[in-house]
Amino acid sequence: MTAHTSLPRRAAAELIGTAGLLVVVIGSGLKAAQLSADTGVALIANSFVSAIGLGLIITLFGPLSGAHLNPVVTLTSWWSRRTGGEGVGGREVPVYVAAQTAGAIGGAVLAEAMFGRTPGTFATQVLDGGHLLVGEVIATAGLVLVIQGLGRIGRARLVPVAVAAYIAAAIWFTSSGSFANPAGTIGRSFSDSFTGIAPGSLPGFVAAQLLGGIVGLVLAAFLYGSGAKSGTGRAGRGAREAEQAPGATAVPAAVPATGPADGANPDRDAYRTIG
């Protein structure tokens, strides 16, 4: 496992991972719609497959880039670093967000082409109304709370399973269907299917997701404090090494990328992820 992954490789991991997530979400929705005319049955299949795919993608790309796959997760990671925890640096945020957005659009187009549909067709499903925006705030706040909470109690290794389970549940218990991801929402506007969202509905959803990210951060700080116990990754080790070596200057990594091969406690690996 690479201890220090370069920014271009991390950006590539975010792009590929987000593209894979959109292929899973949209592709499973299209397949489910083909096999059943019952929307409930299709949603069960879509949520189940999306959760499995998300967990696998986080597990695979987490050691490389943190597997954010989501601009809200990247922004909350950046804020966590500013308040004494681990996360990405300011110059890395726009790179991550650009990679995630490009990956989401590419994944949506690929999913459409894979099912013999015309790639690049915009969604026509309008999702508006205050109740749906409230659903997005709640969905995104819960996602951030899960990630930040597990990181702050030193159990970030559980993030892949916990986030996958949360998203599967949130698809059902939120009025909006839990998009909870600005990049993913933009990508899904390129699919005219029941998983899609019309471009005109994007501003409200993205704004609600950003607000939800803030709410999630506030809840995490209130419940668990501002200090992160996940500071045992490469950034945390670099800081400790700098303190122990007079005159040495540690350059903290943007995201943790540790694993059993590094001798780290796997229960404290600080994977950061999406929704």
Side-chain angles (χ1 to χ4, degrees):
M1 185 176 296
T2 303
H4 298 281
T5 307
S6 67
L7 181 57
R9 288 182 63 189
R10 280 182 278 145
E14 287 295 302
L15 187 150
I16 296 169
T18 311
L21 175 61
L22 268 291
V23 169
V24 169
V25 171
I26 295 175
S28 62
L30 292 172
K31 188 69 173 182
Q34 285 182 353
L35 297 176
S36 175
D38 188 320
T39 304
V41 172
L43 188 58
I44 290 174
N46 178 240
S47 59
F48 180 71
V49 174
S50 296
I52 293 176
L54 176 59
L56 291 173
I57 290 170
I58 295 170
T59 301
L60 180 61
F61 292 101
L64 293 175
S65 66
H68 295 189
L69 316 176
N70 184 336
V72 168
V73 175
T74 297
L75 288 169
T76 54
S77 172
W78 166 76
W79 182 257
S80 178
R81 177 169 175 166
R82 283 178 55 88
T83 55
E86 290 188 344
V88 297
R91 73 180 184 89
E92 295 157 312
V93 171
V95 177
Y96 266 55
V97 172
Q100 292 156 359
T101 304
I105 295 172
V109 171
L110 179 59
E112 290 282 304
M114 182 170 60
F115 280 86
R117 295 159 59 92
T118 303
T121 301
F122 287 116
T124 57
Q125 181 175 218
V126 176
L127 299 175
D128 55 18
H131 66 293
L132 297 180
L133 300 183
V134 171
E136 275 301 282
V137 172
I138 292 173
T140 312
L143 173 63
V144 171
L145 180 59
V146 168
I147 297 169
Q148 291 287 326
L150 288 173
R152 295 178 191 215
I153 63 175
R155 295 185 178 179
R157 188 188 181 195
L158 299 177
V159 164
V161 173
V163 168
Y166 173 78
I167 290 299
I171 288 174
W172 283 91
F173 76 72
T174 61
S175 58
S176 63
S178 184
F179 285 58
N181 181 337
T185 305
I186 293 171
R188 286 164 70 166
S189 71
F190 286 81
S191 174
D192 192 15
S193 63
F194 89 89
T195 60
I197 177 172
S201 300
L202 291 179
F205 265 59
V206 171
Q209 291 156 1
L210 293 174
L211 176 58
I214 295 172
V215 173
L217 277 175
V218 171
L219 288 174
F222 175 74
L223 294 171
Y224 303 105
S226 59
K229 294 184 179 180
S230 59
T232 55
R234 66 190 190 193
R237 291 200 305 271
R240 289 195 300 274
E241 290 168 0
E243 294 173 353
Q244 296 168 2
T249 301
V251 180
V255 291
T258 59
D262 297 326
N265 183 344
D267 286 331
R268 296 179 296 177
D269 285 351
Y271 292 107
R272 310 277 186 194
T273 179
I274 109 156

